[in-house]
Amino acid sequence: MDIRKATLKDLPGIRHLWREHVTILSQSDPRFTPLLATESTWEQQLIQRIEHVYISEKDGKIIGYIAGNVDETSSTIDEIALDAHTYHSGLGRSLVKTWQAAYPNLQLRVHVPRYHAVEQAFWRALGAKEVNTWETPAEKIWMIL
């Protein structure tokens, strides 16, 4: 398993994982259903921040990715998705560690689906705490790690 910065060539594999992840989220929270219709908008945003996207590959196949934004004081992870068809022991943690190593001196904020207990449990296991801000949307929560 290799983790590296994503390139534009990786878009098809990332897109596949994104679709799968959004499908899973929409099953637990119907507010995510409209996101399935915004694939082109999502892809344009991903391309604009490709320097803040990391992927994990195994045998030439993308099996996970993490994406977000960075400014002068903080880094924000708003997407993490793993191939849901196979168990990848420690892959999520490895992606987060890669992100933290890339931005070691910045506070880490995480945008987590409000009604997805598995993802919330993952972040809490890493030590993240929920915070409320004026910009917290109904379908997501903010966590600080």
Side-chain angles (χ1 to χ4, degrees), residues 41-54:
T41 303
W42 165 82
E43 190 167 307
Q44 289 171 0
Q45 290 175 351
L46 190 78
I47 289 169
Q48 289 174 356
R49 61 185 181 158
I50 195 75
E51 71 274 9
H52 304 301
V53 179
Y54 293 86

Side-chain angles (χ1 to χ4, degrees), residues 123-143:
W123 289 109
R124 285 190 174 98
L126 291 176
K129 305 282 187 234
E130 184 174 349
V131 295
N132 291 305
T133 69
W134 62 270
E135 58 184 20
T136 303
E139 74 278 4
K140 298 266 191 159
I141 62 172
W142 285 105
M143 300 181 97

Side-chain angles (χ1 to χ4, degrees), residues 44-90:
Q44 289 171 0
Q45 290 175 351
L46 190 78
I47 289 169
Q48 289 174 356
R49 61 185 181 158
I50 195 75
E51 71 274 9
H52 304 301
V53 179
Y54 293 86
I55 62 159
S56 177
E57 288 181 300
K58 184 176 183 181
D59 300 326
K61 179 182 176 193
I62 296 175
I63 58 172
Y65 80 93
I66 192 167
N69 294 297
V70 177
D71 63 30
E72 303 81 37
T73 60
S74 66
S75 68
T76 302
I77 295 172
D78 55 19
E79 295 181 47
I80 185 169
L82 310 179
D83 179 353
H85 300 287
T86 308
Y87 178 70
H88 307 284
S89 179

Side-chain angles (χ1 to χ4, degrees), residues 5-126:
K5 275 194 171 197
T7 68
L8 295 178
K9 291 180 185 178
D10 299 318
L11 282 176
I14 296 169
R15 185 184 313 112
H16 172 76
L17 291 177
W18 176 80
R19 282 185 196 138
E20 183 177 77
H21 189 64
V22 170
T23 300
I24 291 168
L25 290 174
S26 69
Q27 291 172 351
S28 61
D29 184 356
R31 287 176 285 201
F32 280 88
T33 303
L35 289 178
L36 293 171
T38 63
E39 184 173 318
S40 63
T41 303
W42 165 82
E43 190 167 307
Q44 289 171 0
Q45 290 175 351
L46 190 78
I47 289 169
Q48 289 174 356
R49 61 185 181 158
I50 195 75
E51 71 274 9
H52 304 301
V53 179
Y54 293 86
I55 62 159
S56 177
E57 288 181 300
K58 184 176 183 181
D59 300 326
K61 179 182 176 193
I62 296 175
I63 58 172
Y65 80 93
I66 192 167
N69 294 297
V70 177
D71 63 30
E72 303 81 37
T73 60
S74 66
S75 68
T76 302
I77 295 172
D78 55 19
E79 295 181 47
I80 185 169
L82 310 179
D83 179 353
H85 300 287
T86 308
Y87 178 70
H88 307 284
S89 179
L91 175 57
R93 285 179 183 267
S94 295
L95 285 166
V96 172
K97 285 181 183 179
T98 299
W99 183 276
Q100 288 176 311
Y103 311 106
N105 299 319
L106 300 177
Q107 179 185 46
L108 176 55
R109 296 183 335 151
V110 185
H111 212 195
V112 184
R114 183 175 301 278
Y115 298 107
H116 197 252
V118 173
E119 210 166 314
Q120 286 184 29
F122 167 77
W123 289 109
R124 285 190 174 98
L126 291 176

